[in-house]
Amino acid sequence: MASSASRRFEGRRVIVTGAGSGIGLATAERLLAEGAAVVAADVSATRLGDLDGRHRGDPLVSVVADLSVAGDVDRVVAAAAGPVDGLANVAGIMDGFVPPAEVTDEHWSHVFAVNLDSMMRLTRAVLPGMLAAGRGAIVNVASEASLRGSAAGVAYTASKHAVVGLTRSTAFFYAPKGVRANAVAPGGVMTNIDATFTSDWGRERVMPYLTTDLTPVATPDQLAAAITWLLSDESSDVNGVVLPVDGGWSTI
Ligand SMILES: NC(=O)c1ccc[n+]([C@@H]2O[C@H](COP(=O)([O-])OP(=O)(O)OC[C@H]3O[C@@H](n4cnc5c(N)ncnc54)[C@H](O)[C@@H]3O)[C@@H](O)[C@H]2O)c1
């Protein structure tokens, strides 16, 4: 948790998705502690209710939304009630480590809708306000699976590689306009994400690559520290990067 001396986000409004749990929750709470007004979106009403309960009186607006649905994304943007300074696209789901030969169209589409389409739609929605203001910061949560083929199933891996493309494209197009887009690529993080294997071959093939002494499991707060830095003016010349926050996994 940030000290009260650090108020980097005073006067700033930031949308955080996946704010009910794990990395998104830690990010939302750190932003609130640092002075931001936060629009917190999550599909879980229970989790957002808990967040609200801990932050009564804080500048927090919670929106229960399934971000795989375009109309729900619109409701999140409407809840911001105006331009935002930052967008943290954190919400995402795993894919059961399902290999290409076993993935169904439905599974593929759902993983992409949550992990990628939601980020594109939110990015598209906040950009006009950021461009009018001549500044803004977007941070997308990618994954170790953005960097390699051995960290998840095919749908998750492909969607998280695409998150990198979304990030770099956004950074490229709007660098001259004062809007930045960066990504963080977490390794293993202690959260509620469902990391069960639903494929035998997925388990047999991937499991050996997930366990190594070099990659201790991170805390959500460690990710929130990186995400808020990329959202803040302290990273004002950092644009289009994919920052591994993985204890060194990306070096293997
Ligand atoms: N935990 C890890 O080891 C790890 C590693 C690499 C990347 N990531 C990424 O970090 C991000 C956050 O995951 P986490 O580990 O904090 O998981 P988490 O499950 O603890 O939190 C994710 C939150 O997103 C919400 N969510 C899921 N689907 C949603 C939807 N359709 N609409 C709105 N909200 C939805 C969930 O309700 C949950 O509160 C994800 O993008 C994930 O891919 C996690």
Side-chain angles (χ1 to χ4, degrees), residues 116-196:
L116 180 67
D117 297 356
S118 66
M119 293 192 184
M120 179 279 290
R121 289 192 177 113
L122 276 163
T123 297
R124 183 174 61 193
V126 302
L127 275 169
M130 289 180 173
L131 293 172
R135 67 151 216 245
I138 298 168
V139 178
N140 298 323
V141 174
S143 169
E144 201 67 32
S146 300
L147 311 175
R148 61 187 75 245
S150 58
V154 66
Y156 186 87
T157 299
S159 70
K160 290 296 189 179
H161 274 68
V163 167
V164 171
L166 172 67
T167 304
R168 290 197 172 124
S169 175
T170 307
F172 167 74
F173 275 107
Y174 302 114
K177 305 283 188 183
V179 177
R180 299 182 295 117
N182 291 289
V184 296
V189 189
M190 191 70 73
T191 70
N192 291 309
I193 202 160
D194 180 2
T196 52

Side-chain angles (χ1 to χ4, degrees), residues 29-76:
E29 294 202 298
R30 181 161 182 152
L31 286 165
L32 287 167
E34 295 196 27
V38 171
V39 177
D42 202 288
V43 74
S44 168
T46 306
R47 289 174 174 173
L48 284 183
D50 290 346
L51 178 66
D52 283 335
R54 282 200 302 280
H55 293 279
R56 298 215 185 288
D58 286 346
L60 169 68
V61 176
S62 295
V63 187
V64 179
D66 178 349
L67 296 167
S68 67
V69 176
D72 280 23
V73 172
D74 294 342
R75 286 196 299 106
V76 174

